[in-house]
């Protein structure tokens, strides 16, 4: 699993990390890129407060364990008293709108116990129509395979070039490690947030037709019970 620990490497990948002296003028473009990366690192932060929690949704979530139970501030990342859990089977589709535009750098996820842990996860952006009737027909921008018992302080990298202007992120939890349901105790995102210059476009999910898959209907029912 990739972590952020390897993002800043002092060497050049060929064992010449200590030979930078005398070559500064020959690497002007590298210096520009390095300064840009350093400047962006100051803007990187956890994006908990930029999530549009009113319009977030999770298809096939257990109404007793909704997605908001996994979205927690950074200092609550080890809290396992509340969690997101799937309902009819192990799959989940989590759609997360942001209140502005974000450049996603990494995510952290706390796995549920044992074989409830998610395994394969796929990511899509800027679509509000993804459900169980069409998700398998789409090509994800990125996929991950998480280890069983993935700790909430591990950071998994996004391919930043593909996730640089994200208004809406969808994560498809495709498989887990064998249990009937999947559990996530923590889900958080790190990146750079840019406020919108105009009022955000709020997607009204109630106006979407309920598709054929029963797991889509379960989510709609849960939202109605919550008064959404």
């Amino acid at each position: 699993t990739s972590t952020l620990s390897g993002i800043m490497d002092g060497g050049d990948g060929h064992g010449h990390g200590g030979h930078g002296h005398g070559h500064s003028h020959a690497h002007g473009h590298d210096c520009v890129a390095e300064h840009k990366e350093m400047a962006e690192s100051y803007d990187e932060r956890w994006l908990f407060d930029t999530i549009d929690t009113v319009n977030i949704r999770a298809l096939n979530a257990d109404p007793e364990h909704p997605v908001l139970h996994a979205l927690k501030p950074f200092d609550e990342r080890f809290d396992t008293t509340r969690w997101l859990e799937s309902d009819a089977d192990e799959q989940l589709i989590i759609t997360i709108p942001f209140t502005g535009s974000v450049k996603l750098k990494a995510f952290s996820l706390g796995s549920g116990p044992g074989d409830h842990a998610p395994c394969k996860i796929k990511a899509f952006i800027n679509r509000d129509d993804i459900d169980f009737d069409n998700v398998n027909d789409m090509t994800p921008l990125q996929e991950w395979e998480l280890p069983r018992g993935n700790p909430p302080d591990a950071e998994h990298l996004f391919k930043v070039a593909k996730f640089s202007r994200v208004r809406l992120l969808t994560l498809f939890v495709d498989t887990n490690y064998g249990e009937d349901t999947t559990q996530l105790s923590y889900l958080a995102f790190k990146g750079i947030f840019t406020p919108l210059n105009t009022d955000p476009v709020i997607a009204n999910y109630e106006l979407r037709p309920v598709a054929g898959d029963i797991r889509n209907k379960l989510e709609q029912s849960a939202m109605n019970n919550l008064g959404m």
Side-chain angles (χ1 to χ4, degrees), residues 54-59 205-206 217-228:
V54 173
N55 289 290
I56 195 172
R57 67 188 178 104
L59 297 181
Y205 295 115
E206 286 85 352
K217 296 178 182 178
L218 286 172
E219 165 67 12
Q220 189 68 28
S221 174
M223 291 173 67
N224 291 338
N225 291 339
L226 292 171
M228 299 178 68

Side-chain angles (χ1 to χ4, degrees), residues 12-33:
D12 62 7
H14 301 285
H16 302 302
H19 293 185
H21 62 278
H23 299 287
S24 60
H25 296 294
H27 298 288
H29 292 294
D30 292 343
C31 289
V32 171

Side-chain angles (χ1 to χ4, degrees), residues 52-86:
D52 178 8
T53 55
V54 173
N55 289 290
I56 195 172
R57 67 188 178 104
L59 297 181
N60 195 38
D62 182 343
E64 299 294 322
H65 301 285
V67 63
L68 291 180
H69 283 187
L71 293 169
K72 303 167 185 173
F74 179 75
D75 59 359
E76 296 180 20
R77 61 195 182 281
F78 294 107
D79 172 28
T80 57
T81 62
R82 295 177 297 130
W83 65 89
L84 164 64
E85 186 166 355
S86 62

Side-chain angles (χ1 to χ4, degrees), residues 118-135:
C119 180
K120 291 184 179 179
I121 295 181
K122 303 176 181 181
F124 312 82
I125 64 169
N126 299 337
R127 294 192 59 154
D128 66 357
D129 62 340
I130 298 176
D131 58 25
F132 287 106
D133 293 316
N134 59 25
V135 68

Side-chain angles (χ1 to χ4, degrees), residues 31-42:
C31 289
V32 171
E34 183 177 341
H35 286 308
K36 181 180 179 182
E37 188 171 351
M38 290 178 64
E40 284 194 350
S41 69
Y42 287 110

Side-chain angles (χ1 to χ4, degrees), residues 102-104 107 121-127 130 135-144 157-172:
V102 298
K103 177 186 286 189
L104 291 171
F107 73 93
I121 295 181
K122 303 176 181 181
F124 312 82
I125 64 169
N126 299 337
R127 294 192 59 154
I130 298 176
V135 68
N136 287 313
D137 299 326
M138 299 180 181
T139 301
L141 288 183
Q142 191 170 349
E143 302 181 41
W144 298 265
L157 298 181
F158 285 99
K159 296 176 181 176
V160 179
K162 295 184 177 183
F163 294 86
S164 61
R165 294 183 179 180
V166 180
R167 291 292 317 282
L168 197 70
L169 173 69
T170 299
L171 296 180
F172 173 37

